Amino acid sequence: GWAGTGGTGYAYTQIEMNGPRRALIMTEKVGSFWLNGWHYYGDVYGIRRGKVRVLVPVLLQKGTNRILLKFGVGRKRKSLIFKIIPQKEALAFNLLDVTVPDAIAGKALKAWMAIPLINTTGQTLKGVVLKVGSGGIFEETETILPSMAPLTIEKVPVRLETKGEVLTDKDTLFVAIVAEVAGKRISARI
């Protein structure tokens, strides 16, 4: 049987920083973690099978940063991922967790999609603009977020519309996305 084969594991480490830094923590099979006494949720389900989707914004402090991971252990849990990704920009996308509609050849697409947008700063960001679909076969749509709280992730619903019927035999369509705040911009194709 399976009884008694699972449990909870912990791992602890410290890292030294020359100065404060913004970062995203990428987790897989790490249910939660503590950074300098602050508790964060990670990949609470732990069953993504290689599709790492969890990015958590954090602030690393100058000097010693204490990290404690909490994760499930058992027969099928032999590895985990906890990666620190430095951030320079105030905004970031989590392109591994975008929700997209299916396009059907020969039909126009008028649907909703959702893009996880991350505030990597310790301040509230005001007037964030998210643009989707400039150029190509997509109409440009714009969504304005009046404010984003510090160190938060918002999965922003946006309208996705083609300029007409989808006339391609390709199985994947790419759309441009741009996020802007205070004169700074990030962009990607999904």
Coordinates of all heavy atoms in Angstrom, one line a residue, residues 133-176:
G133 N -1.8 42.2 -29.3 CA -2.2 42.0 -30.7 C -1.8 43.1 -31.7 O -2.4 43.2 -32.7
S134 N -0.8 43.9 -31.4 CA -0.4 44.9 -32.4 C 0.3 44.2 -33.6 O 1.2 43.4 -33.4 CB 0.6 45.9 -31.8 OG 1.7 45.3 -31.3
G135 N -0.2 44.5 -34.8 CA 0.4 44.0 -36.0 C -0.1 42.6 -36.3 O -0.8 42.0 -35.5
G136 N 0.2 42.1 -37.5 CA -0.1 40.8 -37.9 C -1.6 40.6 -38.0 O -2.3 41.5 -38.5
I137 N -2.2 39.4 -37.7 CA -3.6 39.1 -37.9 C -4.5 39.5 -36.8 O -5.7 39.4 -36.9 CB -3.8 37.6 -38.2 CG1 -3.4 36.8 -37.0 CG2 -2.9 37.2 -39.4 CD1 -3.8 35.3 -37.1
F138 N -3.9 40.1 -35.7 CA -4.7 40.5 -34.5 C -5.0 42.0 -34.5 O -4.1 42.8 -34.8 CB -4.0 40.0 -33.3 CG -3.9 38.5 -33.1 CD1 -2.7 37.9 -33.5 CD2 -5.0 37.8 -32.7 CE1 -2.6 36.5 -33.4 CE2 -4.8 36.4 -32.6 CZ -3.7 35.8 -32.9
E139 N -6.2 42.3 -34.0 CA -6.5 43.7 -33.7 C -5.8 44.0 -32.4 O -5.7 43.2 -31.5 CB -8.0 43.8 -33.4 CG -8.9 43.6 -34.7 CD -8.9 44.7 -35.7 OE1 -8.3 45.8 -35.3 OE2 -9.4 44.5 -36.8
E140 N -5.4 45.3 -32.2 CA -4.8 45.6 -30.9 C -5.8 46.0 -29.9 O -6.8 46.7 -30.2 CB -3.8 46.9 -31.1 CG -3.1 47.2 -29.8 CD -2.1 48.3 -30.0 OE1 -1.0 48.0 -30.4 OE2 -2.4 49.5 -29.6
T141 N -5.7 45.4 -28.7 CA -6.6 45.7 -27.6 C -5.7 46.2 -26.5 O -4.6 45.9 -26.4 CB -7.4 44.5 -27.2 OG1 -6.6 43.5 -26.7 CG2 -8.3 44.0 -28.3
E142 N -6.3 47.1 -25.6 CA -5.6 47.7 -24.5 C -6.4 47.5 -23.2 O -7.6 47.7 -23.2 CB -5.4 49.1 -24.8 CG -4.6 49.9 -23.8 CD -4.3 51.3 -24.2 OE1 -3.5 51.5 -25.1 OE2 -4.9 52.2 -23.6
T143 N -5.7 47.1 -22.2 CA -6.3 47.0 -20.9 C -5.5 47.8 -19.9 O -4.3 47.8 -19.9 CB -6.3 45.5 -20.4 OG1 -7.0 44.7 -21.4 CG2 -7.0 45.4 -19.1
I144 N -6.2 48.7 -19.1 CA -5.5 49.5 -18.1 C -5.8 49.0 -16.7 O -7.0 48.8 -16.4 CB -6.0 51.0 -18.3 CG1 -5.6 51.5 -19.7 CG2 -5.3 51.8 -17.2 CD1 -6.1 52.8 -20.0
L145 N -4.8 48.8 -16.0 CA -4.9 48.4 -14.6 C -4.7 49.7 -13.8 O -3.6 50.2 -13.8 CB -3.9 47.4 -14.2 CG -4.1 45.9 -14.7 CD1 -3.8 45.8 -16.1 CD2 -3.4 45.0 -13.8
P146 N -5.7 50.2 -13.0 CA -5.5 51.4 -12.3 C -4.3 51.3 -11.3 O -3.6 52.3 -11.1 CB -6.8 51.6 -11.5 CG -7.8 50.8 -12.3 CD -7.0 49.6 -12.9
S147 N -4.1 50.2 -10.7 CA -3.0 50.0 -9.8 C -2.7 48.5 -9.6 O -3.6 47.7 -9.7 CB -3.3 50.7 -8.4 OG -4.3 50.0 -7.7
M148 N -1.5 48.2 -9.2 CA -1.0 46.9 -8.9 C -0.3 47.0 -7.6 O 0.7 47.7 -7.4 CB -0.1 46.3 -9.9 CG -0.7 45.7 -11.2 SD 0.5 44.9 -12.2 CE 0.7 43.3 -11.4
A149 N -0.7 46.2 -6.6 CA -0.1 46.2 -5.3 C 1.3 45.7 -5.3 O 1.7 45.0 -6.3 CB -0.9 45.4 -4.3
P150 N 2.2 46.0 -4.4 CA 3.5 45.6 -4.4 C 3.6 44.0 -4.4 O 2.9 43.4 -3.7 CB 4.1 46.1 -3.1 CG 3.2 47.2 -2.7 CD 1.9 46.9 -3.2
L151 N 4.6 43.5 -5.1 CA 4.9 42.1 -5.1 C 3.7 41.2 -5.3 O 3.5 40.2 -4.6 CB 5.6 41.7 -3.8 CG 7.0 42.4 -3.5 CD1 7.5 42.1 -2.1 CD2 8.0 42.1 -4.6
T152 N 2.9 41.6 -6.3 CA 1.7 40.8 -6.6 C 1.7 40.3 -8.1 O 2.5 40.7 -8.9 CB 0.4 41.6 -6.4 OG1 0.5 42.8 -7.3 CG2 0.2 42.0 -5.0
I153 N 0.9 39.3 -8.3 CA 0.7 38.7 -9.6 C -0.8 38.9 -9.9 O -1.7 38.5 -9.1 CB 1.0 37.2 -9.6 CG1 2.4 36.9 -9.1 CG2 0.8 36.6 -11.0 CD1 2.7 35.5 -8.7
E154 N -1.1 39.4 -11.1 CA -2.5 39.6 -11.5 C -2.6 38.9 -12.8 O -1.9 39.2 -13.8 CB -2.9 41.0 -11.6 CG -3.0 41.7 -10.3 CD -3.8 43.0 -10.4 OE1 -4.8 43.1 -11.2 OE2 -3.4 44.0 -9.7
K155 N -3.6 37.9 -12.9 CA -3.8 37.3 -14.2 C -4.9 38.1 -14.9 O -6.1 38.1 -14.6 CB -4.3 35.8 -14.0 CG -4.2 35.0 -15.3 CD -4.1 33.5 -15.0 CE -3.9 32.8 -16.3 NZ -3.8 31.4 -16.1
V156 N -4.4 38.9 -15.8 CA -5.2 40.0 -16.4 C -6.0 39.5 -17.6 O -5.4 39.0 -18.6 CB -4.3 41.2 -16.9 CG1 -5.2 42.3 -17.4 CG2 -3.5 41.7 -15.7
P157 N -7.4 39.5 -17.6 CA -8.2 39.1 -18.7 C -8.1 40.2 -19.8 O -8.2 41.4 -19.5 CB -9.6 39.0 -18.2 CG -9.6 39.9 -17.0 CD -8.2 40.0 -16.4
V158 N -7.8 39.8 -21.0 CA -7.8 40.7 -22.2 C -8.5 40.1 -23.3 O -8.6 38.9 -23.5 CB -6.3 41.0 -22.6 CG1 -5.6 41.8 -21.5 CG2 -5.5 39.8 -22.9
R159 N -9.0 41.0 -24.2 CA -9.7 40.6 -25.4 C -8.7 40.2 -26.5 O -7.8 41.0 -26.7 CB -10.6 41.7 -25.8 CG -11.8 41.4 -26.6 CD -12.8 40.5 -25.9 NE -13.8 40.2 -26.9 CZ -14.4 39.0 -27.0 NH1 -14.3 38.1 -26.1 NH2 -15.2 38.8 -28.0
L160 N -9.0 39.1 -27.2 CA -8.1 38.8 -28.3 C -9.0 38.6 -29.5 O -9.9 37.8 -29.5 CB -7.4 37.5 -28.0 CG -6.4 37.0 -29.1 CD1 -5.3 38.0 -29.2 CD2 -5.8 35.6 -28.7
E161 N -8.8 39.4 -30.6 CA -9.6 39.4 -31.8 C -8.7 39.4 -33.0 O -7.8 40.2 -33.1 CB -10.5 40.6 -31.8 CG -11.5 40.6 -30.6 CD -12.5 41.7 -30.7 OE1 -12.5 42.5 -31.7 OE2 -13.2 41.9 -29.7
T162 N -9.1 38.6 -34.0 CA -8.4 38.6 -35.3 C -9.1 39.7 -36.1 O -10.2 40.1 -35.9 CB -8.5 37.2 -36.0 OG1 -9.8 36.8 -36.1 CG2 -7.6 36.2 -35.2
K163 N -8.3 40.1 -37.2 CA -8.9 41.1 -38.1 C -9.9 40.5 -39.1 O -10.5 41.2 -39.8 CB -7.7 41.8 -38.8 CG -6.8 42.6 -37.9 CD -5.6 43.2 -38.7 CE -4.8 44.0 -37.8 NZ -3.5 44.5 -38.4
G164 N -10.0 39.2 -39.1 CA -10.9 38.5 -40.0 C -10.8 37.0 -39.7 O -10.3 36.6 -38.6
E165 N -11.1 36.2 -40.7 CA -11.0 34.8 -40.5 C -9.5 34.4 -40.4 O -8.6 35.0 -40.9 CB -11.6 34.1 -41.8 CG -13.1 34.2 -41.9 CD -13.6 33.6 -43.2 OE1 -12.8 33.0 -43.9 OE2 -14.8 33.6 -43.4
V166 N -9.3 33.3 -39.6 CA -8.0 32.7 -39.5 C -7.7 31.9 -40.7 O -8.3 30.9 -41.0 CB -7.9 31.9 -38.2 CG1 -6.5 31.2 -38.1 CG2 -8.2 32.7 -36.9
L167 N -6.7 32.4 -41.5 CA -6.4 31.8 -42.8 C -5.0 31.2 -42.8 O -4.1 31.7 -43.4 CB -6.6 32.8 -43.9 CG -7.9 33.4 -44.1 CD1 -7.9 34.5 -45.2 CD2 -9.0 32.4 -44.4
T168 N -4.8 30.2 -42.0 CA -3.5 29.5 -41.9 C -3.7 28.1 -41.6 O -4.7 27.7 -41.0 CB -2.6 30.2 -40.8 OG1 -1.4 29.6 -40.8 CG2 -3.2 30.1 -39.4
D169 N -2.8 27.3 -42.0 CA -2.8 25.9 -41.7 C -1.8 25.5 -40.5 O -1.6 24.4 -40.2 CB -2.5 25.0 -42.9 CG -1.1 25.3 -43.5 OD1 -0.5 26.3 -43.1 OD2 -0.7 24.6 -44.4
K170 N -1.2 26.6 -40.0 CA -0.3 26.4 -38.9 C -1.1 26.0 -37.6 O -2.2 26.5 -37.4 CB 0.5 27.6 -38.6 CG 1.5 28.0 -39.8 CD 2.2 29.2 -39.5 CE 3.1 29.6 -40.7 NZ 3.8 30.8 -40.5
D171 N -0.5 25.2 -36.8 CA -1.2 24.8 -35.5 C -1.0 25.8 -34.4 O -1.6 25.6 -33.3 CB -0.8 23.4 -35.1 CG 0.6 23.2 -34.8 OD1 1.4 24.2 -35.0 OD2 1.0 22.1 -34.3
T172 N -0.1 26.8 -34.6 CA 0.1 27.7 -33.5 C 0.2 29.1 -34.1 O 0.8 29.4 -35.1 CB 1.5 27.5 -32.8 OG1 1.5 26.1 -32.3 CG2 1.7 28.4 -31.7
L173 N -0.5 30.1 -33.5 CA -0.5 31.5 -33.8 C 0.2 32.2 -32.7 O 0.0 31.9 -31.5 CB -1.9 32.0 -34.0 CG -2.8 31.3 -35.0 CD1 -4.2 31.9 -35.0 CD2 -2.2 31.5 -36.4
F174 N 1.0 33.2 -33.1 CA 1.7 34.0 -32.1 C 1.1 35.4 -32.0 O 0.7 36.0 -33.0 CB 3.2 34.1 -32.4 CG 3.9 32.8 -32.2 CD1 4.1 31.9 -33.3 CD2 4.3 32.4 -31.0 CE1 4.7 30.7 -33.2 CE2 4.9 31.1 -30.8 CZ 5.1 30.3 -31.9
V175 N 1.0 36.0 -30.8 CA 0.5 37.3 -30.6 C 1.5 38.1 -29.8 O 2.1 37.6 -28.9 CB -0.9 37.2 -30.0 CG1 -0.9 36.6 -28.6 CG2 -1.6 38.6 -29.9
A176 N 1.6 39.4 -30.1 CA 2.5 40.3 -29.4 C 1.8 40.8 -28.2 O 0.6 41.2 -28.2 CB 3.0 41.4 -30.3

